[in-house]
Amino acid sequence: MKLKLNKNTLRQTLSLASVATVAISGLAQAYQEAAPAKPAKAAKEVLGVGSMAPALEGVTWVQGDAVKSFDEKGKLYIVECWATWCGPCVAIIPHMNDLHKKYSEKGLVIVGMNVWEEGIEKAQKFVKDQGDGMSYRVAYSGGKKSKFTTSWLEASKTNGIPTAFAVRDGKIIFKGHPSGLTEKSIELMMASDFNAEDFAKKQAEEAEARKAFSKKIQGLFQAQDWAGIKELAMTDEFVKGKKDAAGLIGQANQQLGDWDAQAELLK
């Protein structure tokens, strides 16, 4: 039976296909985060992959048990930095929640760290309103001048959120946009035969591919070339067949007014 949807219905259901697009609209930030940082002028080492994870000092736990260390055997820790005012951060919460529900019993510990926000009340209300939609641990960093800001964000040259750190056996093994924390990558990081060097190599290769895709997609967005964006999402190996591609295609369909294509996508 052929699917028939009028324009109003399509516009209402478009949001279901465009959740990933909210995060994609921040591609510049996400992909720039994954790109190699420029050498710091100071001799101080930049916090990153291979560094020992700093302790979570001065944070207040909004939800869940406190994480006192990052070195418990068999555990993979994700510290995901977010804020209530950050659209891409809010958009990625369902993804983080899905990972929590699927892997928490297998040893995954997710900490949603509220950062760059003054007042714990905002985070508390937000988490309460999310209910089961944000069921993992949540902590308040203490605001823009907190110890967490200094020891994690400033130390790692982090200039944008959402940003996630993955820690295993006390060491940071991943830093980047949380959309890069796929089920496949989580399983790799949790595997008993996990090899940090091999994983870091693969992450570097992916970062280069992400950087190349970012350059292409940024140019298309700047030119408002929606047909080109749609074509890239359907053909580029970096996103083809993934949720990010569906989000881009949905956004392009909306901008082009191609409701028949959108109906097919929503199937």
Side-chain angles (χ1 to χ4, degrees):
M1 181 174 69
K2 186 176 180 180
L3 177 66
K4 294 182 179 181
L5 293 173
N6 59 41
K7 290 186 177 181
N8 288 333
T9 303
L10 281 167
R11 289 191 179 97
Q12 291 171 355
T13 53
L14 178 67
S15 59
L16 298 176
S18 299
V19 170
T21 307
V22 179
I24 283 296
S25 65
L27 277 171
Q29 179 271 321
Y31 297 143
Q32 287 169 358
E33 279 292 313
K38 294 180 180 179
K41 293 181 179 180
K44 188 176 181 180
E45 181 182 354
V46 175
L47 184 74
V49 175
S51 302
M52 295 300 296
L56 297 180
E57 295 183 273
V59 307
T60 303
W61 292 89
V62 176
Q63 176 172 274
D65 297 333
V67 173
K68 298 180 179 179
S69 70
F70 291 108
D71 55 6
E72 185 176 345
K73 292 296 182 182
K75 297 286 188 182
L76 174 67
Y77 301 88
I78 304 294
V79 179
E80 195 266 321
C81 302
W82 69 285
T84 63
W85 48 261
C86 170
C89 298
V90 174
I92 206 68
I93 288 173
H95 172 65
M96 301 306 296
N97 203 48
D98 287 344
L99 292 177
H100 166 72
K101 289 185 174 182
K102 184 167 184 176
Y103 295 106
S104 61
E105 293 185 0
K106 299 178 182 180
L108 177 64
V109 178
I110 295 178
V111 177
M113 183 64 68
N114 179 273
V115 300
W116 295 339
E117 192 154 28
E118 301 305 324
I120 191 174
E121 297 81 8
K122 296 175 183 177
Q124 290 173 326
K125 183 181 184 304
F126 184 91
V127 173
K128 182 179 179 180
D129 291 344
Q130 293 300 305
D132 190 53
M134 193 177 188
S135 55
Y136 46 91
R137 289 173 172 84
V138 178
Y140 174 65
S141 67
K144 297 178 181 179
K145 297 182 179 180
S146 66
K147 289 184 178 179
F148 181 88
T149 297
T150 302
S151 61
W152 286 77
L153 301 181
E154 293 178 3
S156 63
K157 306 299 182 184
T158 297
N159 298 312
I161 54 175
T163 293
F165 299 82
V167 183
R168 176 168 169 169
D169 298 327
K171 287 188 176 182
I172 297 172
I173 59 175
F174 168 93
K175 176 185 180 288
H177 195 280
S179 62
L181 296 170
T182 63
E183 292 185 3
K184 181 179 179 180
S185 66
I186 290 294
E187 290 171 4
L188 283 172
M189 289 187 281
M190 295 183 71
S192 58
D193 59 350
F194 173 76
N195 185 296
E197 292 184 2
D198 289 346
F199 185 77
K201 182 180 179 180
K202 291 179 181 178
Q203 289 298 309
E205 292 173 351
E206 183 176 344
E208 285 301 312
R210 184 181 291 112
K211 183 179 179 180
F213 179 78
S214 174
K215 185 176 181 180
K216 289 184 282 187
I217 200 71
Q218 284 182 50
L220 293 171
F221 268 113
Q222 289 171 357
Q224 295 291 288
D225 183 358
W226 297 105
I229 290 171
K230 184 175 179 179
E231 177 68 18
L232 186 67
M234 295 174 66
T235 59
D236 193 282
E237 292 298 324
F238 185 72
V239 296
K240 186 173 70 174
K242 300 178 182 178
K243 290 181 180 180
D244 286 352
L248 285 167
I249 293 168
Q251 187 177 14
N253 286 339
Q254 181 186 29
Q255 294 294 331
L256 293 168
D258 193 343
W259 303 112
D260 289 336
Q262 190 67 1
E264 290 298 316
L265 178 66
L266 292 174
K267 285 182 180 180

